[in-house]
DNA sequence: GATTAGACTCAGTTTTACTGGGCCTAGAAT
DNA sequence: ATTCTAGGCCCAGTAAAACTGAGTCTAATC
């Protein structure tokens, strides 16, 4: 008696994932960021799930969404399910290619800290295949397929590789024109768009220093700003851990050598469980020197 | 320093589901059936997952696929994840509309057993919204969005609503032509395509009876065969629990009243946990009489 | 009063998933 | 030995999603 056709089906898995992310992160736009889509896409997915269920999961408010009773009730279940699913995915990855490791790092860190160290590490650990992906926000190791992250952040968040200290730097032939802090007003002061506070932090920490109005070009890539500083375009607020090699090579010098700690640090976090290949990479990174 | 674009992403959730189903059920075609798609679709999904992982999960053999080491290792994880996910989905359904219940039943059971009883049940439980979907294979309550199933199967599998007993039936004016078993060879013997053994089972159980060669039209829907029998088209092997109303109304009579048990039963299974609305429906079904 | 953050909607597009056919292989049935 | 069958593979075409991008809306903040 073959009669199939219209069987009711479960909701789309992607819709469930969108719900879980939105609920966990507390908003469609945050979820959209984690899922690498637009917030409109998340809104549509969640709506689809709500339509399927015949009931809302969020309360819409002008300043965002908040879980309603139903949503609050199912979130823990969904979270556990997707945690489990992510663990499965990572297990597949880890077992299928145990020597393939993937690092997520801030673009500046990837280019200025990691990149100079990688050749030696690759030589020391030739059996490992190490990939690097640069991104602004630290990924969620529970969900994204990375084994290790290197970001500037709270020292509490993981293993501290270096503390973050800043000091002005410039090309040697520019240094002659910077004798005191006030001179900075006469020179282009390079800055990075996502670290726009650097100058303010440094000026404020130099207790008693007058705070001249500074101006200069803004870069969207810190490595680009460093390059421009090397080229003599002006004075850059340098993050010590990122400009080590340029200082050492003399391409950059510091007119005011007092470094100021920002309270942040270059922090390394690793996926658990830490299997041997990953442990070896962590050790190599921790011990690496320029 | 906004630099996003090419982030490695996890595998497609649908691919994971296809893998899980194929691994759990031991074949792409079985998985395809559960997922209501073609086996080619499953094959493609699994291949996509294997490509993502960079390693196979199944060993391809001409008579099917079997899990390899990697697949065997991740199956338990995937199973737990999807169990959890299914539980989440069912929770959403149950909490969003607790009075909406969905029954899955064999088409014959839906039409001939359930349908006559439903009006009274709906009257007795007016707050419940009861949907019925007919299907050949009992759904997997752990995965599909049904609350209750009614199928002919092993009595051990759930709550027995009625044992399955068969006996020949026909319209009253046909009965005069059937005095002994041998007469059956002279009449069309109706049968259902998915219960083609019925006649053989009955003939064999009538110990000592000669087994005449029977012939007659085959129907793909048991309800259709019943209707034809009522119309006087021949003799049908009747399942007692499904033709009760026609016997009672005298539309059908049995020339050989010895019913033969088939060893199967009309079995009811319910989703756990059994919440009050579902419990009420089960009670109503168990107690229902024509 | 302007700006901002967050979400909604909708048309258009891209991407993905699925179908339906033909093909292949090995075991089972004849 | 031949069919037959079950199970999977492959491929082109298609159907269905998911996603984008731009425009709106609202309340909160500056």
């Amino acid at each position: 008696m073959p009669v199939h056709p219209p069987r009711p089906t479960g909701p789309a898995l992607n819709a469930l994932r969108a719900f879980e992310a939105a609920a966990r992160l507390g908003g469609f736009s945050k979820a959209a960021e984690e899922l690498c889509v637009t917030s409109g896409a998340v809104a549509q997915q969640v709506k689809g799930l709500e339509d399927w269920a015949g009931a809302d999961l969020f309360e819409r408010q002008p300043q965002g969404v908040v879980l309603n009773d139903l949503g609050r009730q199912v979130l823990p279940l969904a979270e556990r399910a997707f945690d489990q699913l992510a663990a499965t995915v990572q297990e597949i990855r880890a077992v299928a290619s145990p020597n393939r490791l993937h690092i997520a790092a801030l673009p500046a860190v990837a280019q200025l800290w990691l990149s100079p160290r990688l050749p030696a590490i690759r030589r020391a650990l030739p059996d490992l295949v190490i990939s690097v992906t640069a991104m602004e926000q630290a990924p969620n190791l529970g969900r994204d397929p990375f084994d290790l992250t290197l970001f500037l952040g709270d020292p509490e968040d993981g293993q501290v590789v270096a503390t973050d200290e800043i000091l002005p730097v410039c090309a040697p032939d520019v240094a002659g024109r910077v004798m005191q802090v006030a001179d900075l007003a006469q020179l282009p002061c390079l800055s990075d768009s996502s670290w726009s506070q650097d100058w303010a932090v440094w000026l404020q920490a130099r207790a008693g220093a007058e705070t001249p109005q500074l101006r200069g070009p803004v870069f969207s890539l810190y490595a680009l700003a460093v390059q421009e500083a090397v080229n003599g375009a002006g004075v850059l607020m340098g993050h010590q851990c990122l400009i080590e090699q340029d200082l050492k090579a003399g391409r950059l010098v510091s007119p005011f050598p007092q470094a100021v700690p920002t309270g942040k640090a270059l922090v390394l976090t690793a996926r658990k469980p830490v299997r041997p290949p990953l442990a070896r990479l962590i050790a190599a990174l921790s011990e690496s020197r320029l």
Side-chain angles (χ1 to χ4, degrees), chain A residues 216-267:
Chain A
V218 177
F219 297 86
S220 71
L221 263 173
Y222 190 70
L224 216 54
V226 171
Q227 190 54 51
E228 285 300 292
V230 168
N231 292 345
V235 185
L236 170 72
M237 187 51 63
H239 289 255
Q240 214 153 32
C241 58
L242 301 179
I243 55 169
E244 258 183 286
Q245 53 178 357
D246 292 304
L247 287 176
K248 205 177 218 170
R251 290 188 291 268
L252 290 175
V253 297
S254 179
F256 310 106
Q258 304 94 320
V260 170
T262 63
K264 294 185 171 186
L266 179 53
V267 172

Side-chain angles (χ1 to χ4, degrees), chain A residues 100-138:
Chain A
R100 173 159 299 165
L101 296 172
H102 208 136
I103 303 175
L106 208 57
V109 173
Q111 293 176 80
L112 300 170
W113 190 92
L114 191 54
S115 177
R117 287 165 170 79
L118 265 185
I121 290 176
R122 288 213 164 93
R123 243 174 287 123
L125 307 172
D127 56 320
L128 300 187
V129 179
I130 303 166
S131 306
V132 180
T133 295
M135 55 186 64
E136 287 304 309
Q137 297 295 322

Side-chain angles (χ1 to χ4, degrees), chain A residues 155-237:
Chain A
E156 304 294 310
D157 288 351
Q159 177 178 340
V160 172
V161 174
T163 56
D164 184 33
E165 306 194 351
I166 55 179
L167 77 177
V169 293
C170 57
D173 53 326
V174 175
R177 290 188 270 154
V178 193
M179 307 320 300
Q180 46 188 357
V181 173
D183 295 338
L184 290 170
Q186 311 309 318
L187 282 166
C189 288
L190 317 182
S191 60
D192 180 284
S193 55
S194 54
W195 291 332
S196 46
Q197 271 79 261
D198 281 359
W199 278 105
V201 168
W202 184 81
L203 287 171
Q204 153 130 44
R206 296 231 3 171
E210 68 284 27
T211 58
Q213 208 59 337
L214 305 182
R215 44 179 58 219
V218 177
F219 297 86
S220 71
L221 263 173
Y222 190 70
L224 216 54
V226 171
Q227 190 54 51
E228 285 300 292
V230 168
N231 292 345
V235 185
L236 170 72
M237 187 51 63

Side-chain angles (χ1 to χ4, degrees), chain A residues 76-101:
Chain A
L77 291 174
E79 236 171 319
R80 274 187 43 197
F82 281 100
D83 282 345
Q84 183 70 45
L85 206 48
T88 307
V89 169
Q90 306 310 342
E91 179 77 5
I92 294 177
R93 229 172 43 85
V95 177
S97 32
N99 293 323
R100 173 159 299 165
L101 296 172

